[in-house]
Amino acid sequence: DAKGKYLLPGIIDDQVHFRDPGLTHKGDIESESRAAVAGGVTSYIDQPNTVPHAITQELLAQKYQNAAGRSYANYSFMMGGTNDNLDEILKTNPRDVAGLKLFLGSSTGDMLVDSSAAIESIFTHTPLLIAVHCEDETTVKNNLAHYKSQFGDDIPVAYHPVIRSEEACYLSSSKTVALAKKTGARLHVFHISTAKELALFDNSIPLAEKKITAEVCIHHLWFSDQDYASKGNFIKWNPAVKTAADREALWKAVLDDTIDVIATDHAPHTLAEKEQVYTKAPSGGPLVQHSLVVMLEAVREGRISLEKVVQKMAHNPAQLFQIEKRGFIREGYHADLVLVDCNSTWTVDASNILYKCGWSPLEGTEFHSQITHTLVNGILVYENGKVHELRAGQRLLFNRNE
Ligand code: DOR
């Protein structure tokens, strides 16, 4: 009986770090996919900065083997690019791998791709969707050196968006968008965080025809630089959370379709890791359990319609990645479904956080909507606060030719 509730297609989160294999003290396939289904996320795309990095076909295949039968939600893993693995990239099967990830700015995991020649060669030759992390490395390095000379390692975290600055983001994303235009590559720019970068994207083209698409993450829509004082390293992300004016511009870009997708960049680290000084505390935080409730809160506040939320978090990721038979409630499609109660007040606290790391940047936040049921491939995996021990997740397939 779903009276008074909304039935939505399951959320597809195209950018998560579930840390498996190799970093499983932070999170693993089981723990983070349990949290995902509790948050209404029925499919996810995991990033290659696991250990070992998923940068050869053999390592990518091992990562898939490692996950088989363990995930509560459907999954795909990105192939990772480096300065010298073009041969391996070109062997990737687009039918069963979501795409290629390039870290064009360094972040957790030392996967920086910084050879212009290698990047151009990848853009020229791969038919894969290329998803990028854009921050200009030299700018970030110089800014960091400047503040280190002033503060040592204990730089106040409020300088994070000054170090990982608007300029660093724009320099990298503008260069990358220009390269995609020159080469005809299929580019998806992850986690846009500044107003300035939005001019790089065109909202006059329907999604099906776009060759360059953009994404925003939950933290860049929810937090602003005013929150560093209370949240500290718990909102330290790469790219950094920027100003309230940037946040407003990102919301506008979601509404006018300059931005195509909303995701999380779910990136758990342990409390002990996050509690270190600025230069040692890793960037990233867990969000996959709370992305849909954050957006339902925005619906309640009148910022966005429920239809638009579903478009940006289910329909568009499915279309953009050409995911087979998911992202819509349709006859013949997999039954990845979520029931939400938009009149239920609760607070994020230690008793309801399912992440292995055990903390959330939203701890103490009161929400007024709740995910009550989640079905993955027609199987009820989450019900009123309880995850059923049913690992119903399947490997995602894509409507693309091999
Ligand atoms: O803040 C971040 N954390 N940004 C990234 O790009 C990587 C992520 C992580 O893996 O921790």
Side-chain angles (χ1 to χ4, degrees):
D1 179 4
K3 198 171 169 195
K5 296 181 183 169
Y6 287 99
L7 182 70
L8 314 179
I11 300 308
I12 300 173
D13 191 336
D14 75 3
Q15 195 193 166
V16 304
H17 303 263
F18 281 1
R19 309 301 193 197
D20 202 342
L23 296 166
T24 51
H25 66 288
K26 298 176 195 271
D28 60 45
I29 295 280
E30 274 109 354
S31 62
E32 306 314 281
S33 71
R34 285 177 102 247
V37 296
V41 174
T42 53
S43 296
Y44 60 89
I45 299 175
D46 188 73
Q47 303 305 303
N49 59 340
T50 37
V51 178
H53 300 331
I55 54 172
T56 66
Q57 292 305 316
E58 195 184 343
L59 291 169
L60 187 60
Q62 281 169 12
K63 189 165 166 176
Y64 278 107
Q65 275 158 22
N66 171 54
R70 291 173 54 209
S71 183
Y72 291 81
N74 307 307
Y75 55 92
S76 188
F77 302 142
M78 287 269 197
M79 174 68 181
T82 71
N83 281 332
D84 48 27
N85 74 340
L86 180 62
D87 288 353
E88 288 292 323
I89 292 171
L90 295 179
K91 290 185 221 156
T92 310
N93 182 353
R95 170 87 177 120
D96 62 11
V97 176
L100 173 71
K101 168 72 176 286
L102 299 179
F103 282 90
L104 303 178
S106 65
S107 195
T108 307
D110 273 340
M111 284 194 71
L112 178 66
V113 189
D114 60 356
S115 152
S116 302
I119 296 166
E120 178 147 357
S121 191
I122 293 170
F123 272 55
T124 306
H125 293 106
T126 183
L128 297 169
L129 179 149
I130 305 172
V132 286
H133 177 131
C134 286
E135 286 184 288
D136 182 66
E137 192 62 15
T138 309
T139 307
V140 172
K141 264 196 176 145
N142 289 343
N143 290 341
L144 183 61
H146 172 79
Y147 286 99
K148 258 187 135 171
S149 70
Q150 203 173 326
F151 295 104
D153 277 333
D154 205 1
I155 301 170
V157 66
Y159 287 100
H160 192 52
V162 184
I163 293 167
R164 289 196 170 252
S165 60
E166 173 192 78
E167 191 197 357
C169 294
Y170 187 76
L171 263 176
S172 176
S173 50
S174 57
K175 205 163 119 188
T176 309
V177 166
L179 183 62
K181 285 184 179 162
K182 180 178 154 192
T183 56
R186 173 68 188 89
L187 177 69
H188 182 53
V189 185
F190 274 163
H191 43 45
I192 295 291
S193 63
T194 67
K196 190 170 177 184
E197 291 170 283
L198 294 167
L200 299 168
F201 304 98
D202 187 350
N203 68 350
S204 70
I205 313 170
L207 178 60
E209 287 162 33
K210 283 188 186 184
K211 291 214 77 177
I212 299 172
T213 47
E215 171 168 315
V216 68
C217 287
I218 291 293
H219 43 290
H220 295 122
L221 292 175
W222 185 261
F223 298 109
S224 78
D225 59 2
Q226 287 152 20
D227 297 311
Y228 286 109
S230 61
K231 299 274 180 186
N233 285 338
F234 296 112
I235 62 160
K236 183 186 183 207
W237 271 282
N238 302 336
V241 166
K242 308 242 175 9
T243 67
D246 287 305
R247 182 175 59 184
E248 278 318 296
L250 294 171
W251 270 107
K252 188 170 165 292
V254 167
L255 297 178
D256 73 14
D257 294 337
T258 303
I259 285 179
D260 306 288
V261 168
I262 301 172
T264 62
D265 195 6
H266 173 83
H269 297 285
T270 65
L271 260 184
E273 289 165 341
K274 289 297 264 185
E275 277 166 356
Q276 299 172 94
V277 289
Y278 173 82
T279 53
K280 299 212 164 59
S283 292
L287 279 170
V288 79
Q289 191 186 342
H290 300 106
S291 54
L292 180 55
V293 287
V294 162
M295 293 310 295
L296 293 175
E297 203 63 20
V299 170
R300 194 183 166 89
E301 288 164 7
R303 296 204 70 131
I304 187 168
S305 69
L306 185 56
E307 288 81 356
K308 201 82 173 169
V309 168
V310 171
Q311 182 197 358
K312 302 290 171 184
M313 300 181 85
H315 301 335
N316 283 7
Q319 283 187 329
L320 196 149
F321 282 90
Q322 299 167 278
I323 301 173
E324 191 170 277
K325 294 184 181 166
R326 302 191 190 274
F328 295 82
I329 303 176
R330 262 185 200 160
E331 201 176 332
Y333 273 47
H334 300 284
D336 296 337
L337 301 169
V338 183
L339 268 181
V340 298
D341 180 348
C342 291
N343 266 311
S344 175
T345 302
W346 64 290
T347 301
V348 178
D349 65 30
S351 73
N352 51 41
I353 292 171
L354 295 185
Y355 310 127
K356 192 176 204 176
C357 66
W359 66 274
S360 159
L362 295 163
E363 222 158 321
T365 307
E366 186 177 85
F367 287 109
H368 301 90
S369 298
Q370 203 149 13
I371 285 72
T372 65
H373 297 74
T374 305
L375 285 96
V376 174
N377 297 308
I379 296 168
L380 184 64
V381 291
Y382 176 77
E383 191 176 11
N384 295 319
K386 191 175 174 338
V387 181
H388 296 303
E389 290 307 314
L390 295 163
R391 291 153 205 221
Q394 296 175 4
R395 181 169 176 173
L396 296 174
L397 291 174
F398 302 88
N399 293 319
R400 308 161 178 157
N401 297 325
E402 276 183 40

